[in-house]
Amino acid sequence: MPDHAHEPLDDREVLAACRVHSDTALADHDPRATFGWDKDAAKDRFRIVADEVSELQKRLFAADERALLMVLQGIDAGGKGGTIRSVMNRLNPAGVSVHGFGVPSDEERAHDFLWRIHDHAPERGKIAVFDRSHYEDVLVVRVKDLVPEPVWRKRYEHIRNFEELLDDEGTTVVKFFLDVSKEKQRERLQDRIDDPDERWKFRKGDLDDRVMWDDYQAAFQEALRETSTDAAPWYVVPGDRKWVRNLVVALALRHHLEQIGPEYPPAEEDIDGLVVE
Ligand code: ADP
């Protein structure tokens, strides 16, 4: 018998362990956590859970009542792209959109920070994924001192209100912070430099951000604490092991889609026994 400390946590316990609260400390989250899972079994489970997410997506689409927005944040080489590929792979592409938010254009910068965001929120029946998001405006903007502190600090409240609006009006918001260790980021960035097929992903600026590691961690921690609400919860996802990361994200998506509880709309009347000639 495995001793209790090594018994796998059940799905609810895993999600509870990852969920961010107002006193969450990132230092208490282990990027290498496995929750007692075995790698091969976790990969098998991931496929099953991803198929369940896919079935729920079909219902979400058919019901056409609510939408789901998945926000992904993390450091460079944190696995945002890989998460999107793995977790969205089994979904019907017609019902999914992915949008990456880079350095704002002049036009975007001429508006408030949420202006460019709202337009990409999903329509009813759809799932939208944000690869980076409005959170950059309290993360990179803070660390690089791009706007004065009173301005970015006020944004926590703007973000809470914005996400509550989305939820009230039909969009469930679920947010993931991909938590990768400094050593794992070093490995992945080095791989990008060394592998000719990966090199296109590498920017020298990634190294400048890495130097400010502690500042970013502090900014993430505060942003997560300030904006993890019932309407739009954050999850800290252990990011060093891809198979753990993928399963945690799939479990959370399944949970929130189940909360929505989409059902196929009723069929038209009098079609029982109808034969197509
Ligand atoms: P990625 O690094 O995610 O592959 P990009 O190469 O497009 O994608 O880089 C996105 C860059 O844009 C990141 O360095 C990020 O910090 C920056 N960025 C995103 N949003 C903002 C913002 N609101 N203000 C300043 N910089 C931003």
Side-chain angles (χ1 to χ4, degrees), residues 268-277:
E268 281 182 38
E269 283 176 19
D270 301 330
I271 50 179
D272 249 3
L274 215 58
V275 176
V276 181
E277 301 290 346

Side-chain angles (χ1 to χ4, degrees), residues 76-77 80 100-104 109 113 116 131-138 140-141 144 146 155 192 200-201 203 206 209 216:
D76 296 310
K80 296 188 291 294
F101 291 94
V103 177
R109 223 189 292 271
F113 76 107
R116 66 171 181 161
D131 177 348
R132 302 183 189 272
S133 65
H134 42 302
Y135 284 94
E136 294 292 326
D137 292 282
V138 289
V140 62
V141 160
K144 296 201 175 148
L146 301 179
R155 289 179 176 169
R192 287 184 177 183
W200 66 274
K201 290 189 200 169
R203 293 178 300 119
D206 294 348
D209 283 345
Y216 271 105

Side-chain angles (χ1 to χ4, degrees), residues 14-68:
V14 169
L15 293 183
C18 295
R19 176 94 175 237
V20 174
H21 300 283
S22 57
D23 60 352
T24 288
L26 285 180
D28 295 341
H29 286 258
D30 179 6
R32 297 182 54 76
T34 62
F35 307 113
W37 292 333
D38 162 79
K39 181 173 178 178
D40 289 334
K43 285 181 157 185
D44 289 344
R45 277 212 63 213
F46 169 72
R47 282 186 279 273
I48 294 167
V49 177
D51 282 343
E52 289 167 352
V53 169
S54 169
E55 173 59 30
L56 285 157
Q57 184 213 5
K58 276 197 222 162
R59 289 169 188 262
L60 186 80
F61 187 82
D64 199 21
E65 283 173 358
R66 285 191 70 87
L68 186 134

